[in-house]
Amino acid sequence: MLTILQEEDTARQHLTTYQDGYERRILQMDHQPGADGRIAWRITEEGTVLASGHLEVPTDGNLLERLNDQVRVGMLPVQVWQPRTKEHQLQALTHWRAGFPPFSEAYRLVATLDVPEPEAAFVICQHFTEEGWLHDPRVRARASSAHSMCVGDVVVMPEGQAWRVLGRGWEELARA
């Protein structure tokens, strides 16, 4: 679910800040088409370019939806989140205890990868090699370090649904 947070125009670009699941992104779009008649665009998150390209402005006005679908299909099908601190990691193991912060506050995004379901992410996100799973070519690291996926870690699917790893299986988390 996309939520527009803010829109502004600069001399050269239209900027749209929006929330997609647990991530805040910025769509930057040129005001003037290039020589080929298409508009240049890019989507960034925390200063990192997630996707960019050129396209004709759609007549239906759903440019943000079209671009976000392109990013989802090509780049960000699954996000891997891990607890921010050792204390949060311990709390995640016993998440039923009172006082555990909400998912988005207690976790950090460590990687994105292309997989069809959470179980495939679990397999990839194990330290089977000396350098660790963040160096796997299927993984786009978003942090400098990460542990093997374990109980309490969270996978967020493209539609924004979050799943927490349990001792056996997965627990669906409430949407943001």
Side-chain angles (χ1 to χ4, degrees), residues 17-38:
T17 304
Y18 68 100
Q19 182 104 13
D20 182 25
Y22 293 98
E23 294 187 293
R24 185 173 290 203
R25 299 186 181 140
I26 298 174
L27 166 64
Q28 298 169 315
M29 192 170 46
D30 287 348
H31 281 303
Q32 299 298 318
D36 61 359
R38 299 185 312 160

Short mmCIF file of all heavy atoms in Angstrom, two decimals, residues 17-38:
data_model
loop_
_atom_site.label_atom_id
_atom_site.label_comp_id
_atom_site.label_asym_id
_atom_site.label_seq_id
_atom_site.Cartn_x
_atom_site.Cartn_y
_atom_site.Cartn_z
N THR A 17 7.56 12.13 -1.89
CA THR A 17 7.98 11.27 -0.80
C THR A 17 6.80 10.38 -0.45
O THR A 17 5.68 10.87 -0.26
CB THR A 17 8.40 12.09 0.43
OG1 THR A 17 9.43 13.00 0.05
CG2 THR A 17 8.90 11.19 1.55
N TYR A 18 7.04 9.06 -0.41
CA TYR A 18 5.95 8.14 -0.13
C TYR A 18 6.43 6.99 0.74
O TYR A 18 7.61 6.71 0.82
CB TYR A 18 5.31 7.63 -1.42
CG TYR A 18 6.18 6.73 -2.27
CD1 TYR A 18 6.02 5.35 -2.23
CD2 TYR A 18 7.14 7.24 -3.11
CE1 TYR A 18 6.80 4.51 -3.01
CE2 TYR A 18 7.93 6.42 -3.90
CZ TYR A 18 7.75 5.06 -3.84
OH TYR A 18 8.53 4.23 -4.61
N GLN A 19 5.49 6.35 1.39
CA GLN A 19 5.74 5.19 2.23
C GLN A 19 5.23 3.97 1.50
O GLN A 19 4.12 3.96 0.98
CB GLN A 19 5.01 5.34 3.56
CG GLN A 19 5.24 4.21 4.53
CD GLN A 19 6.19 4.58 5.63
OE1 GLN A 19 6.50 5.74 5.82
NE2 GLN A 19 6.64 3.61 6.36
N ASP A 20 6.06 2.92 1.43
CA ASP A 20 5.67 1.66 0.81
C ASP A 20 5.98 0.57 1.82
O ASP A 20 7.14 0.25 2.05
CB ASP A 20 6.44 1.43 -0.49
CG ASP A 20 6.02 0.15 -1.19
OD1 ASP A 20 4.88 -0.31 -0.97
OD2 ASP A 20 6.83 -0.41 -1.94
N GLY A 21 4.96 0.02 2.45
CA GLY A 21 5.20 -0.94 3.52
C GLY A 21 5.91 -0.23 4.67
O GLY A 21 5.41 0.75 5.21
N TYR A 22 7.12 -0.70 5.01
CA TYR A 22 7.87 -0.09 6.10
C TYR A 22 8.97 0.83 5.60
O TYR A 22 9.81 1.27 6.36
CB TYR A 22 8.49 -1.19 6.97
CG TYR A 22 7.45 -1.99 7.70
CD1 TYR A 22 7.02 -3.21 7.22
CD2 TYR A 22 6.88 -1.52 8.88
CE1 TYR A 22 6.07 -3.95 7.89
CE2 TYR A 22 5.91 -2.25 9.54
CZ TYR A 22 5.52 -3.46 9.05
OH TYR A 22 4.57 -4.19 9.71
N GLU A 23 9.01 1.08 4.30
CA GLU A 23 10.09 1.88 3.75
C GLU A 23 9.58 3.22 3.24
O GLU A 23 8.50 3.31 2.67
CB GLU A 23 10.78 1.14 2.60
CG GLU A 23 11.48 -0.10 3.08
CD GLU A 23 12.30 -0.74 1.99
OE1 GLU A 23 11.71 -1.24 1.03
OE2 GLU A 23 13.53 -0.74 2.13
N ARG A 24 10.39 4.25 3.44
CA ARG A 24 10.09 5.58 2.95
C ARG A 24 10.98 5.83 1.74
O ARG A 24 12.18 5.65 1.81
CB ARG A 24 10.37 6.62 4.02
CG ARG A 24 9.96 8.01 3.62
CD ARG A 24 10.11 8.94 4.77
NE ARG A 24 9.08 8.58 5.74
CZ ARG A 24 8.60 9.41 6.65
NH1 ARG A 24 9.07 10.61 6.77
NH2 ARG A 24 7.68 9.01 7.49
N ARG A 25 10.37 6.20 0.63
CA ARG A 25 11.10 6.40 -0.61
C ARG A 25 10.80 7.77 -1.20
O ARG A 25 9.82 8.41 -0.85
CB ARG A 25 10.71 5.34 -1.64
CG ARG A 25 11.02 3.95 -1.17
CD ARG A 25 10.75 2.94 -2.26
NE ARG A 25 11.04 1.61 -1.76
CZ ARG A 25 10.32 0.56 -2.01
NH1 ARG A 25 9.26 0.66 -2.77
NH2 ARG A 25 10.65 -0.62 -1.52
N ILE A 26 11.66 8.18 -2.15
CA ILE A 26 11.46 9.44 -2.86
C ILE A 26 11.49 9.15 -4.35
O ILE A 26 12.44 8.54 -4.86
CB ILE A 26 12.54 10.48 -2.50
CG1 ILE A 26 12.49 10.80 -1.01
CG2 ILE A 26 12.38 11.75 -3.34
CD1 ILE A 26 13.61 11.69 -0.53
N LEU A 27 10.47 9.58 -5.06
CA LEU A 27 10.42 9.51 -6.51
C LEU A 27 10.82 10.89 -7.03
O LEU A 27 10.20 11.89 -6.68
CB LEU A 27 9.01 9.16 -7.00
CG LEU A 27 8.74 9.37 -8.49
CD1 LEU A 27 9.63 8.46 -9.34
CD2 LEU A 27 7.28 9.15 -8.80
N GLN A 28 11.89 10.94 -7.83
CA GLN A 28 12.33 12.17 -8.45
C GLN A 28 12.04 12.05 -9.94
O GLN A 28 12.45 11.09 -10.58
CB GLN A 28 13.83 12.38 -8.24
CG GLN A 28 14.19 12.50 -6.78
CD GLN A 28 15.68 12.45 -6.54
OE1 GLN A 28 16.36 11.61 -7.11
NE2 GLN A 28 16.16 13.35 -5.72
N MET A 29 11.33 13.04 -10.48
CA MET A 29 10.92 12.97 -11.88
C MET A 29 11.18 14.32 -12.54
O MET A 29 10.77 15.36 -12.01
CB MET A 29 9.43 12.63 -11.92
CG MET A 29 8.90 12.25 -13.24
SD MET A 29 7.22 11.60 -13.12
CE MET A 29 6.41 12.76 -12.04
N ASP A 30 11.89 14.30 -13.67
CA ASP A 30 12.17 15.55 -14.40
C ASP A 30 10.87 16.19 -14.87
O ASP A 30 9.92 15.49 -15.23
CB ASP A 30 13.07 15.29 -15.61
CG ASP A 30 14.50 14.99 -15.21
OD1 ASP A 30 14.86 15.21 -14.03
OD2 ASP A 30 15.26 14.54 -16.08
N HIS A 31 10.86 17.54 -14.89
CA HIS A 31 9.68 18.25 -15.41
C HIS A 31 9.59 18.16 -16.92
O HIS A 31 8.51 18.01 -17.47
CB HIS A 31 9.73 19.74 -15.02
CG HIS A 31 9.31 19.99 -13.61
ND1 HIS A 31 8.08 19.62 -13.12
CD2 HIS A 31 9.95 20.59 -12.58
CE1 HIS A 31 7.98 19.98 -11.85
NE2 HIS A 31 9.11 20.57 -11.50
N GLN A 32 10.71 18.23 -17.61
CA GLN A 32 10.71 18.27 -19.06
C GLN A 32 11.15 16.94 -19.65
O GLN A 32 12.12 16.35 -19.19
CB GLN A 32 11.66 19.37 -19.56
CG GLN A 32 11.29 20.76 -19.10
CD GLN A 32 9.93 21.19 -19.62
OE1 GLN A 32 9.60 20.95 -20.78
NE2 GLN A 32 9.13 21.81 -18.77
N PRO A 33 10.45 16.46 -20.67
CA PRO A 33 10.89 15.24 -21.35
C PRO A 33 12.24 15.46 -22.03
O PRO A 33 12.58 16.58 -22.40
CB PRO A 33 9.80 14.99 -22.39
CG PRO A 33 8.64 15.84 -21.99
CD PRO A 33 9.20 16.97 -21.21
N GLY A 34 12.99 14.37 -22.20
CA GLY A 34 14.27 14.43 -22.89
C GLY A 34 14.04 14.50 -24.40
O GLY A 34 12.91 14.60 -24.88
N ALA A 35 15.13 14.40 -25.16
CA ALA A 35 15.07 14.46 -26.62
C ALA A 35 14.19 13.34 -27.19
O ALA A 35 13.58 13.50 -28.25
CB ALA A 35 16.47 14.38 -27.21
N ASP A 36 14.11 12.21 -26.47
CA ASP A 36 13.30 11.09 -26.95
C ASP A 36 11.83 11.20 -26.55
O ASP A 36 11.03 10.30 -26.79
CB ASP A 36 13.87 9.77 -26.45
CG ASP A 36 13.90 9.66 -24.93
OD1 ASP A 36 13.48 10.63 -24.24
OD2 ASP A 36 14.33 8.61 -24.42
N GLY A 37 11.47 12.30 -25.88
CA GLY A 37 10.08 12.52 -25.49
C GLY A 37 9.68 11.81 -24.21
O GLY A 37 8.51 11.83 -23.83
N ARG A 38 10.63 11.18 -23.53
CA ARG A 38 10.32 10.45 -22.29
C ARG A 38 10.85 11.21 -21.08
O ARG A 38 11.78 11.98 -21.18
CB ARG A 38 10.90 9.05 -22.35
CG ARG A 38 10.33 8.25 -23.51
CD ARG A 38 10.76 6.81 -23.57
NE ARG A 38 12.18 6.64 -23.42
CZ ARG A 38 12.77 5.50 -23.05
NH1 ARG A 38 12.04 4.44 -22.79
NH2 ARG A 38 14.07 5.43 -22.95
#
